[in-house]
Amino acid sequence: MNKLSFTISGAFLAVGMAANSAQADETARSGSLAPVPAFVEEALSAGIDHTYDGAWEFFVGGGTAIFDCNGDRRPDLFVAGGINQAQLFQNVSPTGGALKFTAVDTGLGAKQSGKVLGAYPLDFNNDDILDLVVLRLGENLLLEGQGACKFEVSNRSLGFDGGREWTTAFSAIFEPDLDYPTLAFGNYVDRSKPGAPWGTCHDNFLFRPKAGENNHVTYPDATRLSPGYCTLSILFTDWNRSGEPALRVSNDRHYYRGGEEQLWAVPPGRPPRPYRKADGWQHLKIWGMGIASIDLDVDGFPEYALTSMGDTKLQKLDGESDETVPVYQDIAFDLGVTAHRPYSGEDLKPSTGWHSEFQDVNNDGLWDLFIAKGNVEAMPDFADIDPDNLLLGQWNGKFAEVGDKAGIGTDRRGRGAGLADFNADGLLDLVVVNRAAPVSLFRNLGSGTSEQSKPLGNWLAVDIRQPGKANSRAVGAKISVKTGNRTVVKDIQVGAGHASGQMGFVHFGLGVAERANVRIKWPDGDWSHGYRVFANGHVIIERGVEKARLWYPE
């Protein structure tokens, strides 16, 4: 797989690297650098020995699903294997201690657990047991959760045609007046076309639920989102505060001809349509690989981090544009998140970014950005050793690279990933699926040591539910957390990243605040009353219930 290369002056990069280093040193001397967490690699000692591998069809993908598969509220791991079998690992980590997992049998056959590229958790049958959507080279699978980390393939009972495509992206949303989720699948190269892979990108698919007798739901028909441009990440997102999510699509320019990044309107009950130049959509061509979304300035309009070969984009809706016109400006350079080359070593060639994710890894109340990095295979025009990025949010609104200081700067080729609190100590840990190398699992020690972790700041974990309703996990809701005069928000979304998704407690850093006020904007637009909660706890908020309840890990 030989990606299109481009030339960047080594002298220019060297000057830029020196300038960035000097700026980081000056920031550190001024005392304004955000506290840096310490991570320690524990995959093998935790019981995870797994590798994602395969020929060129597995150069992309390599994702993980992070979710609770047995009802104990601790996040478990489903990990893609490529030519190897996908594996499910049950979380048995002691609270606050070293990470521990045990491999469990999902009940899937060898054929069904092979050729897996990624997975996303979703309760698609409204029984409040999390299911799995599995992306494969070949038939995609809808796995119905049975509890106790067991699954049953539901393609036939749901009338779902998993197809034979090369599927690399997924997102889901509950549309208004539909009790079951709408499913979007992003596909890569159409290998059956003459001339593949060049210019043979496959269409993407949208499946809307259809209710039958006794309210039995099926997904019998796929709506083609055509043209497709070799999609590697998709996300349902309410980009303009309209209450009607659109579908953001990030595409790999290496294989398409005349393609671009895409935004699709998905009006309820009507066919989807792409935004075009006449709608204000700006033509953008990148080697699009991952999407991350967060509302950095809490103005209701999310920003989007788009990873690529080369620089990362950070798109913000133009403040002078009409809210019906999707005109974006790139603020990545201004905020210091371009991440366009390795931050360590002497390789000045461009980076290759994959999974991206906004989280607060040091609990200071500011969003941080993680990017998994890694050469596609052996591309000479791109960095060979390309460590993952950890960009910490700063109080001046910018970001600072600390991947090397935090201890995550390995020489592996990262793909999918996820940040979650695996040992319930209030610190987000990190799992990275690497290509042709073992999975990395990092425990976040905060300011502690390998014997004892210590939070850098206070924190809050929030899980929201709509018991007795469709969409019990409240996909499409917004969680607002206020401490003093500062508010941060996060959406409940299924999609984005790179072939990797998660569902469960949503983590917020609180800094020095000891209390917070939490409000929920439910998927139908109604706001909850405020819930006054104390810091450093796991909070469960059920719609219509006056008080939040606490979950205490053992």
Side-chain angles (χ1 to χ4, degrees), residues 27-28 31-37 362 364 366 368 392-395 400 402 456:
T27 305
S32 61
L33 186 66
V36 178
N362 58 357
D364 62 354
L366 299 171
D368 312 309
L392 293 187
Q394 309 295 305
W395 286 105
V402 298
L456 294 164

Short mmCIF file of all heavy atoms in Angstrom, two decimals, residues 27-28 31-37 362 364 366 368 392-395 400 402 456:
data_model
loop_
_atom_site.label_atom_id
_atom_site.label_comp_id
_atom_site.label_asym_id
_atom_site.label_seq_id
_atom_site.Cartn_x
_atom_site.Cartn_y
_atom_site.Cartn_z
N THR A 27 6.94 27.56 28.73
CA THR A 27 5.67 27.33 29.40
C THR A 27 5.89 26.63 30.73
O THR A 27 5.28 26.98 31.75
CB THR A 27 4.73 26.49 28.51
OG1 THR A 27 4.59 27.14 27.26
CG2 THR A 27 3.37 26.32 29.15
N ALA A 28 6.76 25.62 30.71
CA ALA A 28 7.04 24.88 31.95
C ALA A 28 7.67 25.79 32.99
O ALA A 28 7.32 25.74 34.17
CB ALA A 28 7.94 23.68 31.65
N GLY A 31 5.36 28.00 34.94
CA GLY A 31 4.48 27.35 35.90
C GLY A 31 3.07 27.16 35.40
O GLY A 31 2.19 26.75 36.16
N SER A 32 2.81 27.45 34.14
CA SER A 32 1.45 27.36 33.62
C SER A 32 1.17 26.05 32.93
O SER A 32 0.05 25.81 32.50
CB SER A 32 1.19 28.51 32.65
OG SER A 32 2.08 28.44 31.55
N LEU A 33 2.17 25.17 32.80
CA LEU A 33 1.96 23.90 32.13
C LEU A 33 1.06 23.02 32.99
O LEU A 33 1.24 22.89 34.19
CB LEU A 33 3.29 23.19 31.89
CG LEU A 33 3.25 21.90 31.08
CD1 LEU A 33 2.82 22.19 29.67
CD2 LEU A 33 4.60 21.23 31.08
N ALA A 34 0.05 22.44 32.36
CA ALA A 34 -0.88 21.57 33.08
C ALA A 34 -0.14 20.39 33.68
O ALA A 34 0.86 19.93 33.13
CB ALA A 34 -1.97 21.09 32.13
N PRO A 35 -0.59 19.89 34.83
CA PRO A 35 0.09 18.74 35.46
C PRO A 35 0.06 17.53 34.54
O PRO A 35 -0.95 17.22 33.90
CB PRO A 35 -0.72 18.50 36.74
CG PRO A 35 -2.04 19.17 36.50
CD PRO A 35 -1.76 20.33 35.62
N VAL A 36 1.19 16.83 34.45
CA VAL A 36 1.34 15.71 33.53
C VAL A 36 1.12 14.40 34.27
O VAL A 36 1.80 14.12 35.26
CB VAL A 36 2.75 15.72 32.89
CG1 VAL A 36 2.91 14.53 31.96
CG2 VAL A 36 2.98 17.03 32.14
N PRO A 37 0.19 13.57 33.81
CA PRO A 37 0.00 12.27 34.45
C PRO A 37 1.10 11.30 34.06
O PRO A 37 1.72 11.43 33.01
CB PRO A 37 -1.36 11.82 33.91
CG PRO A 37 -1.44 12.46 32.56
CD PRO A 37 -0.73 13.79 32.69
N ASN A 362 -5.88 14.43 33.18
CA ASN A 362 -5.23 14.88 34.41
C ASN A 362 -6.19 15.57 35.38
O ASN A 362 -5.75 16.17 36.37
CB ASN A 362 -4.03 15.79 34.11
CG ASN A 362 -4.44 17.01 33.29
OD1 ASN A 362 -5.61 17.16 32.90
ND2 ASN A 362 -3.50 17.90 33.03
N ASP A 364 -7.92 18.26 35.48
CA ASP A 364 -7.82 19.68 35.80
C ASP A 364 -9.01 20.48 35.28
O ASP A 364 -9.04 21.70 35.42
CB ASP A 364 -6.51 20.26 35.25
CG ASP A 364 -6.42 20.18 33.74
OD1 ASP A 364 -7.31 19.58 33.10
OD2 ASP A 364 -5.44 20.73 33.18
N LEU A 366 -9.91 20.65 32.07
CA LEU A 366 -9.68 21.05 30.69
C LEU A 366 -9.63 19.80 29.81
O LEU A 366 -9.07 18.78 30.22
CB LEU A 366 -8.36 21.81 30.57
CG LEU A 366 -8.23 23.11 31.36
CD1 LEU A 366 -6.80 23.63 31.31
CD2 LEU A 366 -9.19 24.16 30.82
N ASP A 368 -8.34 17.33 27.05
CA ASP A 368 -7.08 16.95 26.43
C ASP A 368 -7.39 16.14 25.17
O ASP A 368 -8.50 15.65 24.98
CB ASP A 368 -6.25 16.11 27.41
CG ASP A 368 -6.17 16.75 28.80
OD1 ASP A 368 -5.82 17.94 28.87
OD2 ASP A 368 -6.47 16.06 29.79
N LEU A 392 -2.18 18.05 26.23
CA LEU A 392 -2.90 18.52 27.41
C LEU A 392 -3.45 19.92 27.18
O LEU A 392 -2.73 20.83 26.75
CB LEU A 392 -1.99 18.53 28.63
CG LEU A 392 -1.50 17.18 29.17
CD1 LEU A 392 -0.76 17.40 30.49
CD2 LEU A 392 -2.66 16.21 29.36
N GLY A 393 -4.73 20.11 27.51
CA GLY A 393 -5.31 21.44 27.45
C GLY A 393 -4.70 22.36 28.48
O GLY A 393 -4.42 21.95 29.61
N GLN A 394 -4.48 23.62 28.08
CA GLN A 394 -3.89 24.62 28.97
C GLN A 394 -4.91 25.73 29.25
O GLN A 394 -5.86 25.94 28.50
CB GLN A 394 -2.64 25.24 28.31
CG GLN A 394 -1.64 24.22 27.80
CD GLN A 394 -1.03 23.39 28.91
OE1 GLN A 394 -0.47 23.92 29.87
NE2 GLN A 394 -1.13 22.07 28.80
N TRP A 395 -4.69 26.48 30.32
CA TRP A 395 -5.65 27.52 30.69
C TRP A 395 -5.65 28.70 29.73
O TRP A 395 -6.57 29.51 29.74
CB TRP A 395 -5.39 28.00 32.12
CG TRP A 395 -5.82 26.98 33.12
CD1 TRP A 395 -5.03 26.16 33.85
CD2 TRP A 395 -7.16 26.65 33.48
NE1 TRP A 395 -5.78 25.33 34.65
CE2 TRP A 395 -7.10 25.61 34.44
CE3 TRP A 395 -8.41 27.12 33.08
CZ2 TRP A 395 -8.25 25.05 35.01
CZ3 TRP A 395 -9.56 26.56 33.65
CH2 TRP A 395 -9.47 25.55 34.59
N ALA A 400 -0.55 21.41 24.90
CA ALA A 400 0.89 21.14 24.99
C ALA A 400 1.13 19.64 24.92
O ALA A 400 0.46 18.85 25.60
CB ALA A 400 1.47 21.71 26.29
N VAL A 402 2.72 16.16 25.73
CA VAL A 402 3.40 15.56 26.88
C VAL A 402 3.50 14.04 26.72
O VAL A 402 3.74 13.33 27.71
CB VAL A 402 2.68 15.90 28.20
CG1 VAL A 402 2.67 17.41 28.45
CG2 VAL A 402 1.26 15.33 28.22
N LEU A 456 -4.60 13.64 40.15
CA LEU A 456 -4.00 14.97 40.05
C LEU A 456 -5.00 16.05 40.41
O LEU A 456 -4.64 17.14 40.83
CB LEU A 456 -3.48 15.20 38.63
CG LEU A 456 -2.32 14.30 38.21
CD1 LEU A 456 -2.15 14.32 36.71
CD2 LEU A 456 -1.04 14.76 38.88
#
